[in-house]
Amino acid sequence: MKSVCGYCNLFYVVRREDGMGGTEGAEKRAAAGSDDAAAAREERTRGRGGTPSDSDTTGRTRGTEHLTVERVGATLVLTLDRPEAKNALSLPMLVGLHDGWIAADEDDDIRSIVLTGAGGAFCAGMDLKALAGDGMAGEQYRDRLRDDPDLHWKAMLRHHRPRKPVIAAVEGYCVAGGTEILQGTDIRVAGESAVFGLFEVRRGLFPIGGSTVRLARQIPRTHALEMLLTGRPYPAAEAARIGLIGHVVPDGTALEKALEIAAQINACGPLAVEAVKASVHESAGMTEEEGLKAELARGCPIFDTADAKEGSRAFAEKRPPVYRRT
């Protein structure tokens, strides 16, 4: 299979055993605890064999050995679950992410998505040991990549935008590919000790997950270029000051805050929410005149929905609305 760059080639050089990796702080692994973490994850996923599992009574639905999927009310929670490697990217993780985004798109009962990480980290980015030649874990997923060579980019939200709002709940490291995935999310919450940054240039690499295009559209250009060109870490407080994230909360509470925001979104009209998100994104590259025209095309049909009538009726009757996506 032909690929356009070394980063893409990484996803097609597959080995069977799980490798350690990550970026910057994620490179420094303490051997103690790693085996226990791996064993715990193996126990959680035993019987999956790298394929989706059925729902169980805990609220978990489908996932892979490196990506946990759970329903919390109308919110789908996707958890990057490779804590012994600071949730560095792996094929099982990418396949799970891809499938999670698609599942959320296709399930009308899901109104929002929360993306978070296990073990006190969000994502440490690419597995550098795999890039150095060891290959990436996940032999059983090779066929998925053959069927869809774009799967890894969709998983990282480079080539896919979920129609439901995506809220990032960040603890610990969110660097390199972690910060790139972050840019594909809509609302961002971080624990006060979280660390962000695009470290690629320090390794002689290119942040090809979309950052040279997206970052300067999301934060002021001078801050975007400083982040891209220095490769330095950004603490949560500074990331909030430059606009990369929206909320800084006490460590260990990012998921709680994200679910609180998700619940507020879930209480709104789902057709309206999805149309608003679509309008914001599709008008971003338009002139103001073009954007206003596109907004009418998106917004006017919402006023003719049963949900719009229900919202007005519920307000008049002083009761919570019951939206049915009609």
Side-chain angles (χ1 to χ4, degrees):
M1 180 177 296
K2 187 176 292 186
S3 191
V4 297
C5 65
Y7 187 95
C8 297
N9 280 331
L10 171 65
F11 299 105
Y12 301 100
V13 180
V14 183
R15 61 187 171 84
R16 289 184 181 277
E17 69 276 10
D18 188 15
M20 304 293 285
T23 311
E24 192 57 49
E27 298 167 11
K28 301 175 181 178
R29 308 285 180 238
S34 293
D35 291 341
D36 290 343
R41 190 179 61 242
E42 181 180 355
E43 179 66 24
R44 291 197 303 271
T45 59
R46 184 167 295 162
R48 264 190 251 183
T51 59
S53 60
D54 294 332
S55 299
D56 60 32
T57 57
T58 67
R60 290 186 181 180
T61 54
R62 312 184 67 165
T64 67
E65 58 268 40
H66 291 165
L67 193 286
T68 299
V69 184
E70 186 176 3
R71 282 286 297 273
V72 179
T75 299
L76 194 69
V77 180
L78 305 181
T79 302
L80 309 177
D81 194 6
R82 195 185 175 203
E84 72 280 4
K86 295 292 190 291
N87 300 322
L89 298 172
S90 71
L91 288 179
M93 185 182 293
L94 291 164
V95 168
L97 277 173
H98 172 274
D99 292 351
W101 305 133
I102 300 305
D105 281 346
E106 294 178 348
D107 188 341
D108 285 345
D109 290 333
I110 294 172
R111 297 190 179 184
S112 61
I113 309 166
V114 168
L115 176 64
T116 191
F122 185 75
C123 177
M126 185 191 307
D127 188 326
L128 292 183
K129 287 192 174 183
L131 184 63
D134 289 347
M136 184 170 277
E139 173 73 17
Q140 66 270 38
Y141 297 99
R142 191 192 299 266
D143 289 344
R144 293 292 304 275
L145 289 172
R146 286 174 178 157
D147 293 341
D148 183 1
D150 209 31
L151 183 146
H152 58 293
W153 291 136
K154 294 174 183 175
M156 295 178 68
L157 299 179
R158 190 184 197 274
H159 295 171
H160 178 72
R161 178 176 295 124
R163 64 187 177 98
K164 317 292 176 64
V166 181
I167 306 165
V170 179
E171 302 280 358
Y173 284 106
C174 176
V175 298
T179 291
E180 298 212 273
I181 294 172
L182 186 79
Q183 293 167 60
T185 65
D186 302 306
I187 299 170
R188 301 154 194 176
V189 179
E192 56 193 358
S193 296
V195 177
F196 302 84
L198 294 163
F199 295 170
E200 283 82 355
V201 292
R202 293 168 58 183
R203 303 286 180 251
L205 302 172
F206 188 101
I208 204 165
S211 292
T212 64
V213 176
R214 284 178 167 170
L215 192 60
R217 301 182 185 198
Q218 298 185 8
I219 65 175
R221 181 182 178 88
T222 182
H223 292 304
L225 283 168
E226 182 177 344
M227 181 177 285
L228 285 160
L229 298 177
T230 65
R232 71 173 178 87
Y234 283 68
E238 185 176 7
R241 180 174 60 78
I242 65 176
L244 182 65
I245 59 176
H247 298 268
V248 178
V249 297
D251 288 339
T253 66
L255 179 57
E256 178 183 349
K257 180 63 176 179
L259 288 170
E260 176 187 320
I261 295 171
Q264 293 174 328
I265 292 171
N266 296 346
C268 299
L271 295 177
V273 165
E274 291 167 24
V276 167
K277 173 177 173 173
S279 180
V280 169
H281 284 290
E282 73 184 3
S283 63
M286 299 178 179
T287 65
E288 183 172 333
E289 181 179 2
E290 293 168 339
L292 291 172
K293 182 178 179 181
E295 182 187 58
L296 286 176
R298 282 281 184 185
C300 286
I302 298 300
F303 288 88
D304 295 328
T305 64
D307 278 358
K309 296 178 177 61
E310 165 62 11
S312 299
R313 187 181 304 114
F315 176 78
E317 296 174 359
K318 298 182 179 180
R319 60 171 176 81
V322 180
Y323 296 118
R324 304 188 185 282
R325 194 182 282 275
T326 59

